[in-house]
Amino acid sequence: MSARVLPMGERAFLLETGSLAEVVAVHAALEASRPDGVIDLVPAARTVLVRFDPRRVLPAAARSWAVAAADAATGGTTGEGPLVELEIAYDGADLAETAALLGVSADALVRRHAGSEWRVAFTGFAPGFGYLVSDDWPFDVPRLESPRTRVPAGAVGLAGPYSGAYPRETPGGWRLIGTTGAALFDPDAASPALLAPGARVRFRQVAVGPGVEVVPQPGEIPQAGEIPQAGDSGPNPPAQPRSPALATPGGRAAGAGFTVVEPGLLATVQDLGRPGAAALGVAASGALDRAALRTANRLVGNAESAAGVEVTMGGLRAVATRDLWFAVTGAWGPIRLDGRDVDPYEAHAWPAGTELHLDWFAHGARAYLAVRGGLDGRAALGSRSADLLAGLGPAALRPGEAVGVRDEASVPIPVAPPAQWGAPHDDEVTIELAPGPRADWFTADARATLFDAVWTVSNQADRVGARLDGPQLERARTDELPSEGMVPGALQVPPSGRPTVLLADGPVTGGYPVIAVVTDASLDLVAQARPGTRIRFRHARASE
């Protein structure tokens, strides 16, 4: 089947198909022939996002492979995924009202929902939140006019042609018809998402005590310890228990490090993130200014990927509980050790009992504190990065919290700093933009305005994204865009016409058109842009 290639910046593209059924077939074909260097394959309502590492696969080669795989894709794959059976109590707050809207009784709606065989078409919105579709389901269910601010974990809902179950408590606008007690997402499990793309799902009605069961396929009578799990690729592989298995990646154990006195505005543990899990609804996360974290780690002899503290706008105070070495990079502000000023971009001894104070920053938005050996913290999907929106990794640092330091320094502390440094230029920055997939949804004047105007970072800026103030970008199309894969740096334009730059904790799918994408090299500049920073955009140089 044919698919159209749409650019999504320098390191990704969308394959656009004609229907959700074609997305399922194309995604399966891509997964079956996935080459080294393809990081993420993210199915959505009409597209599959392909994200790749240009150091390992050339962009032209990635596109050629994807187009060939899509051309060879066929239908008829709907019965191949593992079958997951979810116990559900049909006790949702919106069940009766939803049935009335659809012109059926509540009992008839329950029978139709439980009698359908569903398939996970794609995930998004939250880690492990699967969008379920079924050929047996005839309804298109309107969302709530006013979304709930709190939907409990395990709630099962309906929206449009989809059914889904909330893995954790979040806001939401789906109509709730029941609850399940299944562990829908476990970051410590070998297969974290119970409802992964391609899995088949049946709902089994119970009165109380909902749970989960994975059902063997015809002709596949499992022996003890051989029950297939959602996401397994072959018949009867060894069972993968949904219990902690990735709690701490390899390496020497952590020891005492330092105690937080005050975290400032926000301080989180970050490494270089968890790419490769977007198909499960998991954002990459990690340090927003990756170059600053890499530099801080090199200064103290760590691997560049070691975890450090990302400090937003300053204010961190911490006391060493044993002798340490540290370095601070990124945003620029006073740094004091035991009351004495010390320089950034330089390794310093941090004696036990002394206080390190990163005062409020004068320039830039985020500083990085690296400690020799690397910081410890709860690992999720191979990373210690905190994703506060999804609840993955360590929580934000709190007063009185003890932070462990590992013993994983890779080289001696360098004699000289590895690079020149200076204050971030945060009054006005120039950001390069690569083409986005939905530029044609905007008028020619809007596309010109994007590059001619001076934009300002608003107060609505965090690790999820930075909303920009400026002129309204007028659309040429006003219809609704089906949800599609997103990447860090995507400029989404909501109905207000003012773009938001998605960042590392941003959603993996979204329904606002992307007019352009910040280049990888410019993303670190966005990380240091604080509210009030002026931004000018320019076209990135074309490259292959």
Side-chain angles (χ1 to χ4, degrees):
M1 56 189 65
S2 62
R4 186 164 68 117
V5 178
L6 302 173
M8 181 67 91
E10 327 155 277
R11 299 177 174 225
F13 54 87
L14 295 175
L15 285 179
E16 185 177 51
T17 69
S19 67
L20 183 56
E22 290 183 1
V23 165
V24 172
V26 168
H27 179 248
L30 293 172
E31 282 286 10
S33 61
R34 184 173 182 162
D36 181 62
V38 172
I39 299 170
D40 276 309
L41 296 171
V42 186
R46 295 291 183 272
T47 59
V48 179
L49 173 75
V50 180
R51 191 175 179 198
F52 59 90
D53 183 347
R55 297 168 298 182
R56 296 158 60 192
V57 58
L58 293 174
R63 288 192 291 269
S64 296
W65 157 76
V67 169
D71 287 344
T74 61
T77 61
T78 57
E80 294 180 357
L83 179 60
V84 179
E85 191 165 283
L86 289 179
E87 293 184 348
I88 176 175
Y90 285 99
D91 55 2
D94 304 318
L95 177 60
E97 181 184 354
T98 302
L101 282 173
L102 300 176
V104 298
S105 68
D107 286 344
L109 184 62
V110 167
R111 286 195 302 271
R112 196 64 182 255
H113 188 264
S116 299
E117 182 172 299
W118 300 85
R119 183 179 180 87
V120 184
F122 57 94
T123 59
F125 171 66
F129 187 98
Y131 287 74
L132 311 185
V133 296
S134 175
D135 292 337
D136 306 322
W137 183 252
F139 302 116
D140 193 321
V141 181
R143 287 173 168 81
L144 295 174
E145 291 185 5
S146 298
R148 290 180 171 88
T149 58
R150 175 185 174 274
V151 176
V156 177
L158 301 171
Y162 306 111
S163 185
Y166 287 75
R168 65 191 301 262
E169 182 180 308
T170 61
W174 289 37
R175 294 183 178 273
L176 307 183
I177 63 168
T179 54
T180 179
L184 298 167
F185 187 80
D186 179 358
D188 295 327
S191 299
L194 181 63
L195 304 183
R200 294 179 297 147
V201 181
R202 285 181 183 153
F203 291 94
R204 185 172 70 193
Q205 184 177 6
V206 296
V208 293
V212 61
E213 178 183 344
V214 181
V215 179
Q217 306 306 299
E220 297 179 0
I221 305 301
Q223 304 301 313
E226 293 185 339
I227 297 178
Q229 301 287 310
D232 287 343
S233 58
N236 298 334
Q240 301 293 331
R242 298 184 61 77
S243 58
L246 296 176
T248 304
R252 289 179 289 279
F258 58 86
T259 300
V260 177
V261 179
E262 292 288 345
L265 183 65
L266 176 67
T268 59
V269 173
Q270 300 291 341
D271 53 26
L272 294 181
R274 49 180 70 87
L280 304 180
V282 178
S285 298
L288 294 191
D289 186 343
R290 298 153 299 168
L293 176 64
R294 289 185 175 111
T295 300
N297 275 320
R298 291 200 305 270
L299 284 165
V300 293
N302 290 342
E304 290 186 347
S305 59
V309 179
E310 180 180 89
V311 182
T312 300
M313 302 304 290
L316 174 72
R317 295 168 55 216
V319 174
T321 52
R322 64 180 172 95
D323 290 347
L324 302 168
W325 283 83
F326 76 94
V328 177
T329 60
W332 201 17
I335 306 170
R336 299 185 181 91
L337 180 64
D338 205 23
R340 297 177 294 103
D341 288 340
V342 296
D343 287 333
Y345 286 84
E346 185 176 328
H348 301 279
W350 187 2
T354 58
E355 181 181 274
L356 175 65
H357 182 200
L358 277 60
D359 211 338
W360 301 105
F361 304 147
H363 299 282
R366 294 172 176 88
Y368 293 86
L369 168 64
V371 178
R372 181 168 173 81
L375 300 188
D376 198 30
R378 183 179 183 274
L381 299 176
S383 169
R384 292 186 173 86
S385 289
D387 182 344
L388 304 183
L389 188 65
L392 297 177
L397 299 183
R398 303 178 301 274
E401 183 171 355
V403 179
V405 173
R406 303 183 68 79
D407 183 18
E408 295 180 342
S410 58
V411 297
I413 293 174
V415 175
Q420 297 295 316
W421 59 272
H425 299 287
D426 63 354
D427 52 349
E428 183 170 306
V429 294
T430 299
I431 302 296
E432 289 193 339
L433 295 181
R438 303 300 174 185
D440 61 348
W441 279 52
F442 298 87
T443 65
D445 286 346
R447 296 194 297 270
T449 297
L450 178 65
F451 292 94
D452 293 341
V454 177
W455 303 88
T456 304
V457 178
S458 74
N459 288 326
Q460 295 175 295
D462 55 21
R463 287 185 48 84
V464 173
R467 182 170 296 178
L468 306 182
D469 287 333
Q472 182 176 357
L473 298 178
E474 184 180 359
R475 285 196 196 181
R477 294 180 56 173
T478 58
D479 46 322
E480 185 174 344
L481 177 69
S483 180
E484 57 192 23
M486 294 289 139
V487 296
L491 260 71
Q492 274 195 328
V493 184
S496 69
R498 291 171 179 83
T500 293
V501 183
L502 298 184
L503 296 175
D505 286 356
V508 300
T509 60
Y512 295 140
V514 172
I515 191 171
V517 180
V518 175
T519 63
D520 189 70
S522 290
L523 268 176
D524 290 346
L525 296 176
V526 178
Q528 295 298 353
R530 55 203 284 159
T533 297
R534 298 185 300 277
I535 290 179
R536 290 183 181 271
F537 293 120
R538 71 182 181 195
H539 293 277
R541 296 177 183 176
S543 61
E544 275 296 318

